[in-house]
Amino acid sequence: MDSFLLSIIIISATGVIGAFIKGKHKDRCFKYFQGLNSHILRMNNKDVWGIFNIESNAIEVQFTEPQPKEMNKLTFNKTNFILYKSEFESITMLIHFVDTENNVEIEKREKELKKLLKPNIFKRLGRKVVIFFNVVKDALLEVAGSVMTKSKLSEGKKEKLMGTFKESSLNNYSGENHQPIWENYIGKHVILEQKIEDNKQEYIGILKEYSANYILLFNVDYTAKGKTKKADIIFPRRNATIRHAAQ
């Protein structure tokens, strides 16, 4: 079979599989906040808080108290707020504050931490499967790129086809952009560095999970308005990274 035709078949097949998974996929980090009373902090916008409902293309926040709004001389109560995927770029962090006086929640969190440190065989296997798909994707990209270079297509068409492949690749929908060094610190204390414009801030917490676009820290001491509270925080990877291990 012609190598160029083979590349087209690979790209098409991956695109179809990726499109199917895309419609079902929810970010690995976001799923931990499903059903929890949490906050969305956004750049240049008011904070939004309530019960999170996570969908593949949006975060729905169900308000815990009525939010009155007047329109055309009539007053309505807003019951929710929907942040769409196209608006996720505005997120600076998602925060779930821990109820440190709730013994049931504290006990549940301690069990979660133990599972992080000693995952069962199914968790370990699932993680290895995701990593495997990422390695396969990288290999396919390399092969397709090599074939495209040798093909007689115009540079514009080559770039378009490769762009389609990257956009539809399993990596985007498997929910994990693999970082081998971070795997060593799952369940351990790390220092995360976040830089927004010229402001750099560091946070210390337990690395619970990461995905292609986000990092989730567990048990962060978060200070706002002069008060410090325990919180789980999701940071966007576009402006945050794991900088140090901590003890």
Side-chain angles (χ1 to χ4, degrees):
M1 181 183 291
D2 181 78
S3 59
F4 174 70
L5 179 59
L6 179 61
S7 293
I8 295 297
I9 292 173
I10 291 172
I11 290 171
S12 300
T14 306
V16 170
I17 296 170
F20 174 77
I21 298 175
K22 180 180 180 181
K24 302 289 184 180
H25 170 68
K26 298 177 183 179
D27 188 273
R28 294 168 71 92
C29 295
F30 283 9
K31 286 193 288 187
Y32 282 98
F33 280 21
Q34 173 65 37
L36 297 181
N37 195 340
S38 307
H39 295 236
I40 300 177
L41 274 60
R42 298 175 294 154
M43 289 185 288
N44 305 318
N45 283 286
K46 291 182 179 179
D47 299 351
V48 180
W49 62 91
I51 308 300
F52 277 23
N53 176 37
I54 305 298
E55 298 293 346
S56 60
N57 67 337
I59 301 174
E60 179 186 17
V61 183
Q62 295 283 349
F63 295 141
T64 54
E65 296 178 357
Q67 301 286 331
K69 182 177 180 65
E70 189 172 316
M71 293 178 64
N72 300 323
K73 298 183 180 180
L74 295 174
T75 301
F76 299 88
N77 280 328
K78 295 184 291 185
T79 61
N80 70 352
F81 175 86
I82 303 173
L83 187 72
Y84 295 96
K85 194 169 187 176
S86 60
E87 300 172 305
F88 285 2
E89 287 290 316
S90 67
I91 295 174
T92 57
M93 62 181 68
L94 306 179
I95 304 178
H96 166 63
F97 290 106
V98 180
D99 185 356
T100 54
E101 296 181 0
N102 186 328
N103 292 331
V104 175
E105 182 173 358
I106 295 302
E107 186 177 336
K108 180 182 177 182
R109 292 172 65 81
E110 287 176 354
K111 289 180 180 179
E112 286 181 15
L113 182 55
K114 288 179 181 178
K115 288 180 181 179
L116 279 176
L117 293 170
K118 294 183 178 180
N120 60 41
I121 188 171
F122 299 107
K123 286 280 187 181
R124 293 197 300 271
L125 180 61
R127 202 164 192 92
K128 287 180 180 179
V129 168
V130 170
I131 293 169
F132 169 77
F133 275 120
N134 281 302
V135 173
V136 170
K137 185 272 303 182
D138 290 338
L140 290 175
L141 274 175
E142 186 175 344
V143 170
S146 177
V147 173
M148 287 293 179
T149 301
K150 297 174 183 178
S151 73
K152 296 180 180 180
L153 286 176
S154 67
E155 289 300 318
K157 287 185 178 180
K158 288 179 186 178
E159 290 178 6
K160 186 176 181 181
L161 281 170
M162 288 302 295
T164 300
F165 185 45
K166 290 176 181 179
E167 183 66 24
S168 301
S169 69
L170 289 173
N171 181 63
N172 291 331
Y173 309 127
S174 65
E176 182 164 352
N177 185 357
H178 182 52
Q179 286 285 354
I181 196 164
W182 290 2
E183 293 292 318
N184 299 328
Y185 296 104
I186 298 278
K188 299 178 182 178
H189 281 91
V190 296
I191 297 173
L192 177 143
E193 179 183 285
Q194 184 179 45
K195 188 174 182 180
I196 300 176
E197 296 177 345
D198 295 327
N199 182 34
K200 185 170 73 173
Q201 184 74 36
E202 290 184 326
Y203 301 88
I204 185 168
I206 297 169
L207 179 59
K208 186 170 185 178
E209 185 58 274
Y210 68 91
S211 65
N213 298 308
Y214 299 95
I215 302 168
L216 171 56
L217 290 193
F218 192 71
N219 276 358
V220 177
D221 286 326
Y222 181 79
T223 302
K225 297 179 180 179
K227 294 183 178 180
T228 300
K229 297 181 179 180
K230 283 287 184 187
D232 298 337
I233 306 180
I234 296 174
F235 300 88
R237 284 180 64 173
R238 70 176 181 277
N239 59 28
T241 191
I242 304 299
R243 187 60 68 195
H244 310 280
Q247 291 183 340

